[in-house]
Amino acid sequence: MRYLQIENARLIDPANNLDAVTEIFVADGRIQTIGRRPIAGEIEESIDAQGQWLIPGLIDLGGHLPEPGYSQKGSIASETRAACAGGFTHICSLPDTKPVADTAAVIQLVLEKAAKAGYARVLPLGALTQGLAGEQIANMVTLQEAGAVALSNARRPIKDNYVLRRLMEYAATYDIPLFLTANDEALSAGGCMHEGPTATRMGLSGIPETAETIAIAHILLLIEQTGVRAHISQISCARSVAMLTEAHQRGLPVTADTTLANLLYTDEAVEGYNSLFNVQPPLRSERDRLALLQAVEQGHLAISSNHHPHEIAAKKAPFADAEAGMSQYDHFLPQALGLVHRGELSIDALIRATSTTPANLLGLRQQLTEGAAFNACLVDPNAENVVTAQSLQSRGRNHPALGRTLKGQVKRVFVDGQLVFAS
């Protein structure tokens, strides 16, 4: 047997209470031994990772892949490579492509193109309703059989709570997990940022927190009634955290995530009408940001990317008219490590929220343990690099950190033992 040896790395895996400088041996795509040399075989390649961390690969619970349908914004190949550059080994792709991922053919197309690209593994989210129109149920079972790991309506509205209830009942019958977003369309209509003093001062229409919390209340009540396995994506408010905590205490089968942008920025980033910070859900107050960080630290929330690449023209319109979204895959881990360097989040909590918790939710085994598939990321936590348009793997040029120096750099990413990215 021929081995890849990684030595002198700090292995960090909270799922196994692992935090030690040691060596690891990989063969046939799996971790063979940790901290001891294999009895037989030879070393094919050795990497001295002095000063670097080896962590489980990141898993994204929601990113937009522009293919099929939006070639000007990127391709499956460009965005999965960007995901690897940010530390991801697996990404859940949202179904709002063109055509919508509401048929087995579109799911298979995404999987085939991702496999051909050979970067991050794509885990498609099938459309919850036909055409994401929020009215007619999609063929859930067929989509699951085609490879969809769960069903989602992206941020498109469901017609009403009666339809949502029926969707949940059907999904519960076949034990199909749902990824839901909480947004009351009537309350958020016309809004482009958080409703608060900044929006008032800038003369922009705001989206109140109640647009999210009222929708969460409806979702939680229907989860309780139907017993469906549900994940609430992209929460942004302190009150939402409190509602989900109470739901967990009552034993409801619900999980949730927040976006990295909502942990890094507040609505004050919109000052100057910077359309890079026009995102959905909107950036909220500092109070909300701190509550989300605390929930992540306590293990109650996962972190997703909400990656949404756009060409330059899409962000050149006035703030309220610019297309919402950030390109987040490139430099995702260095951005997140900023929270660790500032003492706002522990490294264990960050790994749990971006790898362990998403893996558990999706039924994956993403661990640094003997016998596990080697899906991992080598990162230099102290390397500094400037984010430039030329450094981006994504075709999206709407990256929030352009021109900034970030501390931390992804050095290598392995998917099932194969090196898929190196800087």
Side-chain angles (χ1 to χ4, degrees):
M1 190 172 284
R2 301 169 68 84
Y3 295 96
L4 164 67
Q5 176 196 31
I6 301 176
E7 57 181 344
N8 299 320
R10 179 185 172 190
L11 273 62
I12 310 175
D13 183 4
N16 290 294
N17 296 315
L18 176 62
D19 188 343
V21 175
T22 185
E23 60 183 347
I24 189 170
F25 291 85
V26 178
D28 296 333
R30 295 191 172 275
I31 300 172
Q32 302 297 323
T33 60
I34 297 177
R36 57 187 176 83
R37 289 179 174 264
I39 297 174
E42 59 181 290
I43 297 173
E44 183 177 35
E45 180 183 3
S46 182
I47 298 172
D48 185 353
Q50 182 74 40
Q52 298 178 34
W53 298 349
L54 181 66
I55 64 175
L58 310 189
I59 301 173
D60 186 21
L61 291 174
H64 298 263
L65 296 184
E67 189 180 10
Y70 301 96
S71 58
Q72 77 277 15
K73 299 179 185 296
S75 64
I76 288 175
S78 68
E79 305 315 299
T80 53
R81 179 171 171 81
C84 288
F88 289 100
T89 57
H90 298 73
I91 57 175
C92 292
S93 61
L94 289 160
D96 53 348
T97 48
K98 189 168 70 174
V100 166
D102 60 359
T103 66
V106 177
I107 297 293
Q108 299 253 336
L109 175 66
V110 170
L111 289 171
E112 289 169 5
K113 285 185 171 288
K116 183 178 180 180
Y119 299 118
R121 295 274 189 265
V122 173
L123 310 171
L125 300 176
L128 182 56
T129 60
Q130 295 177 24
L132 297 177
E135 297 183 359
Q136 300 296 320
I137 187 171
N139 196 326
M140 293 186 181
V141 174
T142 297
L143 293 174
Q144 186 182 51
E145 291 174 345
V149 296
L151 298 181
S152 166
N153 226 51
R155 290 194 69 83
R156 308 285 180 84
I158 302 297
K159 180 181 178 181
D160 54 42
N161 283 322
Y162 176 81
V163 173
L164 181 57
R165 175 188 171 184
R166 294 306 180 204
L167 293 169
M168 287 185 174
E169 288 174 339
Y170 190 91
T173 299
Y174 294 95
D175 194 30
I176 298 173
L178 301 184
F179 280 35
L180 304 170
T181 52
N183 181 40
D184 186 297
E185 284 287 311
L187 288 172
S188 64
C192 59
M193 67 172 293
H194 172 61
E195 184 179 275
T198 303
T200 300
R201 184 169 61 251
M202 297 179 67
L204 294 173
S205 298
I207 300 173
E209 293 182 5
T210 48
E212 178 172 296
T213 55
I214 286 174
I216 284 183
H218 291 167
I219 289 171
L220 292 176
L221 288 169
L222 289 173
I223 290 172
E224 186 173 18
Q225 181 175 5
T226 63
V228 71
R229 283 193 294 141
H231 176 80
I232 301 178
S233 302
Q234 306 168 3
I235 71 165
S236 63
C237 306
R239 178 60 179 155
S240 300
V241 171
M243 295 169 72
L244 286 163
T245 300
E246 191 271 339
H248 292 153
Q249 292 171 348
R250 291 191 289 117
L252 289 190
V254 60
T255 54
D257 70 64
T258 189
T259 74
L260 180 61
N262 286 94
L263 298 175
L264 291 173
Y265 309 107
T266 69
D267 59 330
E268 293 183 3
V270 176
E271 291 281 6
Y273 301 93
N274 188 342
S275 63
L276 286 176
F277 298 97
N278 182 339
V279 291
Q280 293 295 332
L283 305 174
R284 299 287 186 182
S285 69
E286 178 68 0
R287 172 178 169 272
D288 292 312
R289 189 184 77 89
L290 293 176
L292 294 170
L293 278 167
Q294 183 180 35
V296 171
E297 183 66 40
Q298 294 172 345
H300 299 319
L301 287 180
I303 302 173
S304 64
S305 76
N306 197 21
H307 173 72
H308 206 156
H310 290 305
E311 71 281 19
I312 293 175
K315 286 291 188 178
K316 285 297 185 182
F319 184 90
D321 298 323
E323 292 189 50
M326 286 181 177
S327 180
Q328 280 283 50
Y329 279 153
D330 284 287
H331 305 285
F332 181 94
L333 187 53
Q335 289 183 89
L337 284 174
L339 298 168
V340 177
H341 293 313
R342 293 194 296 272
E344 294 187 312
L345 202 63
S346 68
I347 183 60
D348 280 4
L350 176 60
I351 294 172
R352 279 198 311 267
T354 56
S355 184
T356 309
T357 298
N360 293 338
L361 174 61
L362 297 167
L364 303 176
R365 189 187 181 197
Q366 192 89 331
Q367 300 179 15
L368 298 181
T369 186
E370 293 181 4
F374 189 52
N375 295 303
C377 172
L378 264 175
V379 57
D380 185 337
N382 297 310
E384 294 187 349
N385 58 93
V386 179
V387 180
T388 64
Q390 293 72 30
S391 73
L392 301 180
Q393 304 295 327
S394 170
R395 289 189 200 164
R397 291 299 178 260
N398 53 320
H399 197 287
L402 278 172
R404 287 173 42 206
T405 299
L406 299 177
K407 185 177 180 181
Q409 184 176 22
V410 174
K411 306 300 289 185
R412 289 180 173 88
V413 175
F414 300 87
V415 174
D416 291 337
Q418 298 297 311
L419 179 66
V420 295
F421 178 82
S423 62

